Amino acid sequence: MSIRETNLAVYGNHFSAYTELRLQRNSSTQISLLNGDVVANTKTSDGGISARVFKDGVWGFASRPQIHNAAVVATIDEATRNAALLARHAARREIVLPRAKAFNESDFATQRPRLTQQQSIEFLQAIDAHIAMTYPDLKSRSVSRLDLDMEKHLYTTDASEGYSNTTRSLISIRMTTTTDAGQPVEYSKTFGGRGQFEDVFTQPGALFPDIAEIHRHLMNKRKAVAPRAGAHDVVLDSDLAGILAHEAIGHTTEADIVQEGSVAGDYLGKLVASPLITLVDFANTYLGETLPVPIYVDDEGVESRDTILIQNGVLKNFMHNKESSVLFGVPPTGNARAYTFADEPLIRMRNTAILPGKDKLDAMIESIEDGYYLLRPSNGQADSTSEFMFGVTLGYEIKNGKLGNAITDTTISGVAFDMLKTVTMVSDELNWTCAGMCGKKTLIPVGMGGPSIKCRVHLGGV
Amino acid sequence: MIDRAFAQRSLDALLRRGFQKARVRLVGSDHHELQAEFGHTNLLRTTHNIELGLLGIVDDKQGSLALNDVTDDGLAEAVDNLWAVASGSRADPANDISQAQPKRIFTSGPDAPDLDLMYERLAEVLDYARSKYPTLKMGSTAISFASRHALFLNSNGVEFDTTRNAYHASLMFTARDGTDVSSFNYTGTTLAALDRPLASLATTDTLMRQTTEQVRTRKVPQKFTGDLIITPDSIGDFLGFLIGNIGNQPLISGTSLYKESLGQRVADEALTLHSRPRDLVGGYFVTGDGYEAQNATIVDHGVLQGFLLDLYGSRKTGLARAMTGGGAWVVEPGTTALADMIRDVKSGVLITRFSGGRPNDKGDFSGIAKNSYYIDNGAIAYPISETMVSGNMASLLTNIVSISKERADFGSGIFPWVRVGGIGIS
C-alpha cells in the first residue's frame, strides 16, 4: 500500500468526531566506520497508521503497524473509543477546535539513481582512507552516515490533506588525537542537511577541504587553554546563535510550555532583546530558499505559516497547535508535528533563526579586547525561566581584537531574555544547520539558523 | 500476539539466502498511556506495534535491518535487502552471533493494565499537587503501561522468549508565584504495580516541594571550590562518563581514559556500582548481543571489575565480554545519614539537576546546577540559579567524601545521595 497513493478520504465516513488520520513511514540508513572497520551497517523502516480523535475536550489516539483496510478502520474505531472513554471521566466540552482546510504535496526524494549499500560504504571508505593517509597523527577516526526519510500522508475531518516526504542526510566525522601529555583530544563535525544522500553528497572529495579544517582545529585543540570561568564578551558563531534561537528562546515560546508557566508568558509585547534581534520560526521558505525542514501542512492539517517570535527586540507571538490557539484566542500557526506514526503531534519548532544584521564577522572579533570566539556547540538545554546551557566544543580566545589560543571544551550559560539584551552586533550572513534532533517527549528533526552575534555570556572554566 | 512460526521462517529464510550466521528478533508491543497536561487528563493513547530485527553475516560481512512489515511478502523483500546491506560491507572477523545457550522463557509484570486505576492514580496526583502545592503548575503528567513480548532466535540454536510488562509514571512541573517562575523539573519511575500514590514514589514529593521553593533564586555569593551533594535524580549524569568510557567505541578506538584500569581503583572505595537487569522492574532478560543477561558488579569498592564490552567489542579487543548489557544501575548505600552529610558541608551545592555540556574525552565538564541549593555552614541556605559547576568526571569519582544511607528507587535504577569535593562553583 503506497503511502502517497492511498485514498484516506474514503475513511472519512468512519469519523464520528474531529479526527486526524495519518499514514507514515520513517526510513533510515546508518553506516559507521571506526578506524576503517564497519561497526554499524543497518537500515530501519518503521511505519503504520494512526488516528487521533477529539471529543468533548479530550483526545483519543491509536496506532497500528499494518496499513491494510481493516487495520485503518480498527485504528479509527479504537481512537474514537479512547476519546469517548476518557470523556466520561474528564470532559471539557467548552473547547471547540478551529476548522482548517489545506492541501499540499511535497516530495524531497532524489531523482538520481540511488546508491547501493556497497556504493555507500565505498563512499565513506574513500573519506576514511583520505583521513588515514593525510593525517597519520590521529589516534582514532570515525566516519558515519545517518539518513532519515519521513514520509507522511494526512487526512482530517475538515478534508485537509497533506503528503510530504521530508528527507535528511548527514555525514559525521570525528577525529581524536592526544596531547603531549598523552591525554585524548577530540573534535567532530556533521555535514549535510535536507535531501537524500545522492543530492546532498556528490563525491567524497568535496568534503576534503572541510576535513582539513576539522584537523586544523583539532591540532589547535591539542594546545588548548582552559577558559576563565565567569561572564565574558563573546562572539557566538552562527551554529551557536542557531541553537540559542531554538533552545533558549524557541522552547519558551511554544504555547504548551507557556501554559506550563514559561516566563515568556508575561513578556508578550515587551522588549526582551536588543532591537538588533529578530527571531522567526519559519515554516518552509526564507528569501526563496527551501529550508532544512520544510513544513507546508502540519500534522493537524493546518497550513504552516512563519511565526515571528521576536521582532526588533519585542516578543510578538507564540507557536501554536489547534488546541492552544483556542486557549490563546489566536489562529493556529501550523507547528503541530509528530515524529513517528505512533506519536501524537506536539507543538514543535520547524526552522528557527535569528535574522542577519549588518555587521562583518571580522569587525565583531576586532571589537573585543578580551573575550572569546565560540564556534561549535555540542548539546544544549533551556528552561522555563529561559536560562540556557550549551556545550561548546570549539572556541578561541580573543585578545586585543585578534584570535588567540584554542580553548578546551566548555559550557556557556545565561538567561536568554537577559543575554539577548546584551547583543551589540549581528553579522550580515545567515547559516542553517539541520544536524540535530530536538527532544520533547519525542525526537524530531529541526532546522536552526543564525548569523554571528556579539554578546555577553557566562563560561565554565577554571 | 507474535508468531513464533514467523520468527522461525525469518531465520530459515536468512540461512536459505546464504547467510552463514543469522539472528532474528521479533517484538510485539502494546502501549497504553493516560496523559494530563496543565492539570487536566486529556489523552488516552493506545499503540500497537510489531518489529522484526534481522541480522546476517556472510564471509565475516555483517548487516542488520529493522522493519515492522511482518508479512511473508515483507520478509522476502527484507531478506533480499539485508543481503545487499551485508554483502556490500567489509569483512571483519570480529562479527559474530551469540553462542548456543539453553532455551529459556522469561516473564515479568502484570498481564494487562488496570485503566481505571491508572486514571485514579493520575487524578490523585493532580489533586495532591493542587491542594498541597498551589503554586505548582503540572506540565505533562502521564501513566503508561507497556507490554512487550519478544522472541530471540539465532542460527546457533539460541531461543529466548521474553515477556516484560510494566507501568511507568512520569511527571513534569514548574512553579509560578505571580511573575516569579521556577526552573522546570521532572521525574519518572518504572513500576510493577500502581499500589502507591505517585507523589510517594522515589523523590517525587521532594521535587514538587523544592520546585515551589525555587520560584525565587539567588546566585552563589562568590566563585569558590567546594562540595557537591549529588541527589539520586542527577547521579546518572556523573556516573555517565565512567560508564560511557568502558564500552565498545572508546575501548576499540583506544581513546578511553580507563583502557588500562581493569582491576585498578577508578573511584573512592565508598563506591560500589552494579548493573542489575535481572532484579529491577525496568531491567531486561536478554542483552543486545543475544545472551541471557546477568547481574554484574562493575565497580566494587572503587575498583573497576569489568568493561561493558559486547560480543563484537570483546572479539575486537580481546577483552572479556560483559555479562550485562549495562543499565539497571544500582549504587550501594553508604553509612552517612543525608542530614549529617549536609551538616558536614562547609560550602557547596545540593545539585538536583545537571544541565551541562558533554564532558570531553579527558572528563572535563562544566554545566549549570538546576533546581539546586546553596549549602552554607552545614545548612541548606537558599535555591540558586545561574550557577555553574565544573570539574573532571574521573577525578570526581575519586573525590567521593561520603554516600548516604538513604536511596531512591526509580525502578530502572536505585541511587543514594553522593557527596564529592573539589568542585569549581561560580
Side-chain angles (χ1 to χ4, degrees):
Chain A
M1 202 168 177
S2 156
I3 288 178
R4 185 172 201 156
E5 301 304 325
T6 300
N7 183 354
L8 292 180
V10 299
Y11 297 101
N13 58 1
H14 292 274
F15 297 175
S16 59
Y18 170 83
T19 301
E20 299 154 1
L21 186 63
R22 177 163 38 93
L23 198 52
Q24 180 174 346
R25 177 173 293 116
N26 289 3
S27 306
S28 68
T29 299
Q30 185 182 4
I31 302 168
S32 295
L33 306 185
L34 177 60
N35 294 338
D37 289 327
V38 180
V39 293
N41 178 28
T42 186
K43 282 178 175 283
T44 63
S45 169
D46 183 39
I49 186 81
S50 70
R52 190 169 73 141
V53 173
F54 191 71
K55 182 177 170 52
D56 296 334
V58 296
W59 296 94
F61 183 93
S63 68
R64 281 177 171 70
Q66 304 88 357
I67 52 174
H68 53 72
N69 181 61
V72 175
V73 172
T75 302
I76 296 169
D77 289 348
E78 187 166 25
T80 305
R81 278 198 311 277
N82 280 351
L85 184 66
L86 186 54
R88 284 205 290 274
H89 289 289
R92 287 190 296 163
R93 293 187 177 82
E94 69 278 10
I95 301 174
V96 178
L97 297 182
R99 296 182 68 89
K101 185 171 181 179
F103 177 82
N104 178 70
E105 288 190 352
S106 58
D107 189 350
F108 293 94
T110 183
Q111 300 301 310
R112 299 168 195 255
R114 301 304 314 267
L115 295 184
T116 65
Q117 195 79 356
Q118 183 170 351
Q119 289 170 323
S120 297
I121 290 172
E122 286 169 356
F123 193 104
L124 298 190
Q125 284 177 324
I127 295 172
D128 182 71
H130 167 78
I131 297 171
M133 192 173 66
T134 314
Y135 309 109
D137 47 1
L138 297 179
K139 180 76 179 169
S140 168
R141 64 190 189 277
S142 72
V143 181
S144 302
R145 167 186 168 179
L146 182 61
D147 300 354
L148 174 65
D149 298 345
M150 296 176 70
E151 188 181 16
K152 297 179 176 181
H153 187 172
L154 174 85
Y155 183 78
T156 75
T157 294
D158 298 334
S160 213
E161 187 159 14
Y163 170 81
S164 62
N165 185 15
T166 310
T167 59
R168 178 170 100 161
S169 303
L170 306 171
I171 289 180
S172 294
I173 294 170
R174 174 180 157 131
M175 298 180 184
T176 307
T177 187
T178 50
T179 64
D180 292 341
Q183 293 194 301
V185 184
E186 63 171 4
Y187 182 53
S188 62
K189 192 172 178 189
T190 299
F191 304 94
R194 177 178 51 77
Q196 289 186 312
F197 191 85
E198 293 76 5
D199 288 340
V200 178
F201 299 103
T202 51
Q203 54 176 322
L207 286 174
F208 292 173
D210 294 309
I211 291 169
E213 277 294 282
I214 295 174
H215 184 262
R216 182 176 72 83
H217 287 306
L218 179 71
M219 291 302 110
N220 290 339
K221 284 185 73 173
R222 285 188 74 236
K223 301 180 185 310
V225 298
R228 289 163 291 134
H232 297 280
D233 291 330
V234 301
V235 173
L236 300 183
D237 203 64
S238 54
D239 276 7
L240 275 155
I243 198 170
L244 176 80
H246 173 94
E247 291 286 353
I249 300 297
H251 279 302
T252 65
T253 56
E254 293 167 330
D256 52 347
I257 304 297
V258 173
Q259 284 175 270
E260 285 176 16
S262 155
V263 69
D266 296 320
Y267 294 163
L268 208 57
K270 295 183 178 169
L271 194 72
V272 294
S274 155
L276 298 172
I277 296 294
T278 293
L279 197 157
V280 182
D281 182 57
F282 290 101
N284 46 59
T285 309
Y286 174 62
L287 296 180
E289 178 193 354
T290 303
L291 293 176
V293 184
I295 306 296
Y296 298 90
V297 173
D298 78 358
D299 292 331
E300 292 182 334
V302 174
E303 183 176 351
S304 292
R305 59 184 177 86
D306 298 344
T307 308
I308 298 173
L309 303 174
I310 296 175
Q311 187 169 35
N312 300 328
V314 176
L315 185 65
K316 289 290 189 183
N317 295 291
F318 301 134
M319 290 169 275
H320 290 283
N321 59 13
K322 282 183 172 175
E323 189 174 358
S324 75
S325 76
V326 174
L327 299 172
F328 284 76
V330 296
T333 52
N335 282 85
R337 301 176 59 203
Y339 180 44
T340 75
F341 75 97
D343 297 325
E344 74 277 17
L346 307 173
I347 298 174
R348 309 302 293 257
M349 281 170 268
R350 299 152 312 184
N351 305 278
T352 315
I354 294 172
L355 298 193
K358 295 179 178 171
D359 297 298
K360 298 292 180 193
L361 177 59
D362 287 347
M364 293 165 69
I365 293 170
E366 285 167 10
S367 72
I368 292 179
E369 191 179 319
D370 182 13
Y372 296 95
Y373 175 41
L374 307 175
L375 287 99
R376 201 73 56 215
S378 53
N379 55 325
Q381 284 182 354
D383 203 336
S384 43
T385 58
S386 90
E387 187 177 28
F388 66 88
M389 171 290 304
F390 309 125
V392 176
T393 60
L394 184 67
Y396 288 88
E397 294 177 321
I398 303 176
K399 298 283 186 193
N400 298 316
K402 299 202 180 310
L403 295 184
N405 295 313
I407 58 170
T408 53
D409 292 0
T410 185
T411 302
I412 61 171
S413 67
V415 174
F417 288 126
D418 294 339
M419 183 278 255
L420 284 177
K421 289 175 183 157
T422 72
V423 173
T424 52
M425 298 175 89
V426 179
S427 77
D428 58 359
E429 82 272 83
L430 173 59
N431 296 312
W432 290 95
T433 59
C434 171
M437 296 287 261
C438 169
K440 177 183 171 184
K441 187 175 182 183
T442 60
L443 297 174
I444 209 154
V446 290
M448 294 182 273
S452 297
I453 60 174
K454 180 186 169 186
C455 58
R456 197 164 172 81
V457 296
H458 195 111
L459 266 76
V462 293
Chain B
M1 187 172 55
I2 57 172
D3 182 1
R4 194 210 168 281
F6 182 81
Q8 187 64 54
R9 280 204 300 283
S10 303
L11 186 62
D12 294 343
L14 291 173
L15 296 174
R16 260 199 319 276
R17 185 64 182 81
F19 287 108
Q20 291 136 358
K21 297 175 182 177
R23 184 179 91 187
V24 171
R25 190 192 302 266
L26 183 64
V27 182
S29 58
D30 293 314
H31 194 86
H32 303 265
E33 181 187 57
L34 259 175
Q35 180 185 283
E37 279 190 311
F38 328 123
H40 301 282
T41 306
N42 68 347
L43 172 67
L44 175 56
R45 180 168 169 267
T46 309
T47 63
H48 312 276
N49 205 358
I50 298 181
E51 299 158 75
L52 176 64
L54 304 174
L55 180 144
I57 299 172
V58 54
D59 298 335
D60 290 333
K61 295 188 278 190
Q62 177 175 302
S64 62
L65 214 64
L67 63 157
N68 63 354
D69 178 359
V70 291
T71 60
D72 283 322
D73 286 347
L75 174 62
E77 187 182 337
V79 169
D80 284 343
N81 281 342
L82 182 60
W83 183 261
V85 169
S87 58
S89 187
R90 177 171 163 158
D92 186 342
N95 289 323
D96 204 355
I97 56 172
S98 55
Q99 283 84 35
Q101 297 156 80
K103 290 183 181 178
R104 294 288 306 271
I105 297 174
F106 305 97
T107 58
S108 76
D111 291 336
D114 185 335
L115 283 172
D116 289 333
L117 186 56
M118 285 169 66
Y119 184 84
E120 286 168 24
R121 288 292 184 217
L122 194 57
E124 178 184 58
V125 76
L126 296 174
D127 286 344
Y128 177 81
R130 260 190 297 269
S131 60
K132 186 155 188 196
Y133 304 113
T135 57
L136 198 68
K137 295 176 78 76
M138 299 299 286
S140 176
T141 309
I143 299 180
S144 60
F145 180 84
S147 168
R148 184 179 161 90
H149 180 199
L151 291 168
F152 185 103
L153 279 66
N154 81 12
S155 56
N156 283 341
V158 172
E159 182 172 342
F160 296 124
D161 180 329
T162 74
T163 302
R164 184 175 280 275
N165 300 341
Y167 292 99
H168 186 80
S170 60
L171 298 92
M172 188 165 185
F173 34 79
T174 307
R176 179 177 261 268
D177 188 2
T179 56
D180 294 324
V181 178
S182 75
S183 290
F184 66 75
N185 209 345
Y186 52 86
T187 187
T189 310
T190 304
L191 304 153
L194 293 175
D195 52 359
R196 286 187 294 152
L198 301 192
S200 69
L201 300 174
T203 56
T204 304
D205 191 52
T206 300
L207 297 183
M208 292 167 89
R209 174 183 55 76
Q210 289 179 339
T211 301
T212 64
E213 296 169 358
Q214 291 160 0
V215 290
R216 280 173 279 275
T217 56
R218 289 153 59 187
K219 297 180 184 180
V220 291
Q222 71 280 318
K223 179 176 169 180
F224 65 99
T225 299
D227 289 359
L228 278 190
I229 292 181
I230 305 168
T231 66
D233 309 280
S234 62
I235 189 69
D237 289 322
F238 295 92
L239 294 173
F241 179 76
L242 168 67
I243 292 164
N245 273 276
I246 56 175
N248 274 12
Q249 171 142 348
L251 288 169
I252 292 171
S253 65
T255 57
S256 170
L257 218 55
Y258 297 105
K259 63 187 177 193
E260 308 291 343
S261 298
L262 203 58
Q264 307 291 312
R265 185 171 295 285
V266 295
D268 184 86
E269 65 179 354
L271 183 73
T272 293
L273 172 69
H274 311 283
S275 171
R276 288 192 170 151
R278 299 301 295 277
D279 293 349
L280 268 57
V281 179
Y284 51 90
F285 298 113
V286 179
T287 61
D289 54 358
Y291 287 91
E292 180 179 343
Q294 307 286 348
N295 295 335
T297 299
I298 305 301
V299 177
D300 188 11
H301 292 92
V303 175
L304 185 64
Q305 299 297 308
F307 293 124
L308 288 172
L309 291 164
D310 65 9
L311 179 61
Y312 176 80
S314 166
R315 289 168 64 89
K316 203 70 192 166
T317 59
L319 298 164
R321 182 184 65 80
M323 306 301 281
T324 170
W329 300 113
V330 175
V331 174
E332 284 288 317
T335 56
T336 307
L338 175 59
D340 294 338
M341 185 183 282
I342 294 169
R343 199 174 304 130
D344 291 343
V345 173
K346 180 163 173 35
S347 189
V349 164
L350 175 76
I351 184 165
T352 298
R353 187 159 70 88
F354 175 71
S355 177
R358 216 166 282 136
N360 63 19
D361 278 348
K362 288 186 286 184
D364 297 334
F365 74 91
S366 56
I368 311 171
K370 291 276 192 183
N371 306 94
S372 299
Y373 291 84
Y374 176 53
I375 303 173
D376 185 29
N377 279 322
I380 290 178
Y382 53 82
I384 55 175
S385 58
E386 298 184 66
T387 299
M388 188 84 87
V389 295
S390 56
N392 179 276
M393 290 292 183
S395 303
L396 179 143
L397 295 181
T398 60
N399 289 337
I400 291 173
V401 178
S402 58
I403 293 180
S404 72
K405 293 176 181 172
E406 302 90 336
R407 291 192 296 176
D409 183 351
F410 299 95
S412 55
I414 303 174
F415 302 114
W417 282 254
V418 177
R419 177 186 165 197
V420 299
I423 300 296
I425 299 169
S426 61

